[in-house]
């Protein structure tokens, strides 16, 4: 099946007809609601919170966030704020009279909220759209880094985010996860129904500090098919062991690399990497 | 868009991020609407410490709403004088007048039409049918 991400940018793809089709299809509704419930269980919110919904679309997931615990929303009813780039989708949401606040915004341009605003963030089938850039002055990496940077800042310490997305391939999955880690999140990828056509990928993100149970590994403890990709602090430790650029060790390493490539390399001696005497 | 959201919103332009004047956004030519909703006391308690009260007062004054008290209420102000709870029994907390007023201002008062203006770069964000437009042209991102 072709991916809508490869055909058109999201604001053009989700036009009036496509938005209506998306919102009224009972199959999509069921899948979206399953995924929202799954994401909510990963967020494990105990009390009514302020939640950011990235790519809220017509508010399919938002409707679930506004529900009370009796209707299966833990800790609800939550107050949510939704961002979406498609005006048609938001139009459908307005018609449905959803409870959350809606914003016409591109998540790839950042998240325009002050630091520490949200308790949690949720995103259902949206962030794969960030892997496409529509103009030459923009790049997928730039869009992802602005998005995750903005998201990291706008979450409170100890906050969590769960992003369900449809990666095109392994590379894209890795690119998204790496962008999140670079922004400072503790990140983990969780896959439901791995290896099948119904595979669902969840990126579970945590912001350090606060009352969280350790890092991301606390969220996914005891779950199957979870790969923890980075732990806060692990990166810093690795960087400390690197060889300083320009030092003798670095030069020797580079020479070895070049030699392995089959280049002609001058033999090393005790003078290799030494400073020249200051000439009078 | 609720006034609560306005209390968290900053200018989206990169150059404004470092300037304190980019928060709060100032409403201009605004049409307000009251949307009734159920009071959610645990949420109010949760959000209260995160509110920027001084900015909320400024915005309320700019919108011509009744003046808010000078200092922010505390969590205790939100609950009506608690009755003596019997052992092992949970008493439902009753929202006080302060809580109801706060709910009115933050969650029921919404901006329907108008503009939001950044205090730093004077960029105008249009609000239509309660949905602000935060799409930026490429050179401002």
């Amino acid at each position: 099946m072709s991916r809508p991400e490869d055909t058109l940018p999201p604001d053009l793809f989700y036009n009036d007809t496509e938005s209506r089709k998306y919102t009224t299809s009972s199959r999509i509704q069921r899948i979206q609601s399953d995924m929202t419930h799954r994401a909510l269980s990963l967020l494990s919110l105990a009390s009514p919170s302020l939640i950011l919904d990235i790519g809220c679309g017509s508010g399919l997931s938002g409707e679930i966030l506004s529900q009370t615990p009796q209707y299966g929303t833990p800790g609800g009813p939550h107050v949510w704020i939704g961002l979406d780039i498609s005006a048609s989708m938001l139009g459908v949401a307005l018609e449905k009279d959803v409870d959350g606040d809606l914003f016409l915004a591109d998540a790839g341009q950042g998240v325009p909220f002050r630091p520490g605003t949200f308790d949690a963030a949720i995103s259902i089938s949206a962030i794969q759209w960030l892997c496409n850039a529509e103009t030459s002055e923009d790049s997928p990496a730039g869009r992802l880094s602005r998005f995750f940077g903005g998201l990291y800042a706008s979450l409170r310490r100890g906050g969590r985010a769960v992003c369900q997305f449809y990666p095109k391939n392994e590379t894209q999955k890795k690119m998204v996860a790496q962008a999140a880690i670079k922004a400072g999140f503790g990140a983990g990828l969780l896959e439901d129904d791995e290896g099948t056509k119904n595979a669902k990928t969840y990126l579970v993100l945590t912001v350090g500090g606060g009352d969280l149970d350790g890092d991301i590994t606390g969220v996914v403890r005891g779950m199957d098919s979870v790969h923890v990709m980075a732990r806060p602090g692990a990166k810093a430790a690795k960087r400390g062991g690197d060889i300083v650029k320009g030092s003798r060790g670095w030069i020797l390493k580079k020479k070895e690399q070049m030699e392995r490539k089959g280049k002609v390399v001058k033999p090393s001696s005790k003078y290799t990497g030494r400073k020249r005497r200051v000439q009078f | 868009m609720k006034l609560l959201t306005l209390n968290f919103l900053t200018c989206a332009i990169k150059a404004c991020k470092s300037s304190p004047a980019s928060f709060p956004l100032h409403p201009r030519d605004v049409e307000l609407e009251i949307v009734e909703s159920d009071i959610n006391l645990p949420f109010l308690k949760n959000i209260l410490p995160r509110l920027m009260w001084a900015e909320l007062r400024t915005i309320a004054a700019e919108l011509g709403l009744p003046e808010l008290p000078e200092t922010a209420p505390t969590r205790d102000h939100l609950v009506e004088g608690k009755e003596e709870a019997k052992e092992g029994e949970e008493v439902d907390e009753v929202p006080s007048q302060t809580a109801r007023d706060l709910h009115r201002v933050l969650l029921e008062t919404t901006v329907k039409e108008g503009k939001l203006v950044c205090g730093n770069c004077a960029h105008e964000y249009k609000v239509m049918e309660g949905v602000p437009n935060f799409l930026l042209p490429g050179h401002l991102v």
Side-chain angles (χ1 to χ4, degrees), chain A:
Chain A
M1 205 175 82
S2 72
R3 288 169 59 84
E5 291 82 8
D6 294 339
T7 52
L8 276 174
D11 44 338
L12 299 179
F13 178 78
Y14 288 114
N15 55 15
D16 288 345
T17 38
E18 201 64 37
S19 302
R20 202 155 298 278
K21 232 167 44 185
Y22 193 92
T23 316
T24 49
S25 154
S26 61
R27 184 180 146 272
I28 289 177
Q29 275 175 8
R30 185 176 51 77
I31 295 174
Q32 291 265 329
S33 112
D34 286 351
M35 291 192 295
T36 312
H37 280 121
R38 179 77 159 127
L40 270 170
S41 74
L42 289 169
L43 288 174
S44 65
L45 298 163
S47 61
S49 313
L50 186 61
I51 302 182
L52 177 67
D53 186 349
I54 302 121
C56 62
S58 49
L60 286 174
S61 46
E63 281 172 334
I64 294 170
L65 297 179
S66 313
Q67 297 279 15
T68 51
Q70 288 98 302
Y71 292 93
T73 302
H78 303 291
V79 176
W80 56 279
I81 295 174
L83 305 181
D84 207 282
I85 195 173
S86 158
S88 306
M89 275 286 196
L90 292 175
V92 178
L94 278 178
E95 274 174 33
K96 288 203 296 183
D97 211 9
V98 292
D99 287 327
D101 276 341
L102 304 168
F103 277 80
L104 181 63
D106 181 3
Q109 295 182 340
V111 182
F113 293 95
R114 69 177 162 86
T117 298
F118 298 102
D119 294 298
I122 191 171
S123 167
I124 305 295
S125 320
I127 56 172
Q128 70 273 9
W129 288 101
L130 294 177
C131 299
N132 298 1
E134 306 306 336
T135 56
S136 57
E137 56 194 18
D138 212 351
S139 69
R143 288 169 63 76
L144 281 169
S145 106
R146 269 194 300 277
F147 165 63
F148 283 117
L151 183 66
Y152 185 80
S154 67
L155 284 172
R156 72 171 171 84
R157 302 303 95 184
R160 279 178 190 170
V162 174
C163 305
Q164 182 277 328
F165 67 112
Y166 292 113
K168 190 176 184 179
N169 46 33
E170 279 299 313
T171 330
Q172 208 173 66
K173 205 192 302 182
K174 210 159 189 177
M175 179 166 83
V176 171
Q178 290 300 336
I181 291 163
K182 214 169 170 190
F185 284 109
L189 278 171
L190 166 71
E191 237 171 89
D192 283 350
D193 303 327
E194 201 171 357
T196 67
K197 261 164 119 184
N198 298 332
K200 301 281 182 297
T201 312
Y202 296 85
L203 181 65
V204 188
L205 305 169
T206 55
V207 181
D211 47 359
L212 244 193
D213 169 26
D215 55 9
I216 181 70
T217 42
V219 183
V220 292
R221 187 170 297 140
M223 286 183 186
D224 295 333
S225 66
V226 176
H227 317 287
V228 175
M229 300 190 64
R231 283 194 198 89
K235 202 170 105 191
K238 197 184 159 201
R239 193 179 286 165
D242 270 0
I243 307 167
V244 184
K245 190 177 176 186
S247 69
R248 184 180 154 86
W250 180 80
I251 293 173
L252 290 176
K253 200 180 103 195
K254 283 282 173 198
K255 282 182 130 177
E256 212 180 286
Q257 271 176 8
M258 289 299 138
E259 211 161 16
R260 257 186 277 128
K261 275 189 187 170
K263 298 259 169 69
V264 181
V265 174
K266 288 273 168 66
S268 301
S269 72
K270 65 176 182 182
Y271 301 107
T272 308
R274 274 203 198 170
K275 283 261 170 359
R276 274 183 201 279
R277 184 163 52 88
V278 181
Q279 295 294 325
F280 191 57

Side-chain angles (χ1 to χ4, degrees), chain A residues 48-50 77 79 81 85 90 94 99-106 109 112-114 116-119 137 146, chain B residues 1-2 5 7-10 12 23 40 42-43 46-47 50-52 129-136 138-139 141:
Chain A
S49 313
L50 186 61
V79 176
I81 295 174
I85 195 173
L90 292 175
L94 278 178
D99 287 327
D101 276 341
L102 304 168
F103 277 80
L104 181 63
D106 181 3
Q109 295 182 340
F113 293 95
R114 69 177 162 86
T117 298
F118 298 102
D119 294 298
E137 56 194 18
R146 269 194 300 277
Chain B
M1 187 191 56
K2 302 178 182 76
T5 312
N7 196 254
F8 289 116
L9 207 54
T10 65
F23 173 79
N40 187 344
F43 177 75
N46 176 7
I47 205 76
R50 262 177 280 168
L51 287 180
M52 298 284 257
E129 296 193 51
V131 179
N133 181 349
F134 269 72
L135 289 176
L136 294 175
H139 65 280
V141 175

Side-chain angles (χ1 to χ4, degrees), chain B residues 72-85:
Chain B
T74 63
R75 283 182 181 179
D76 297 333
H77 288 143
L78 297 182
V79 190
E80 203 76 68
K82 272 188 211 162
E83 293 152 42
E84 292 283 308

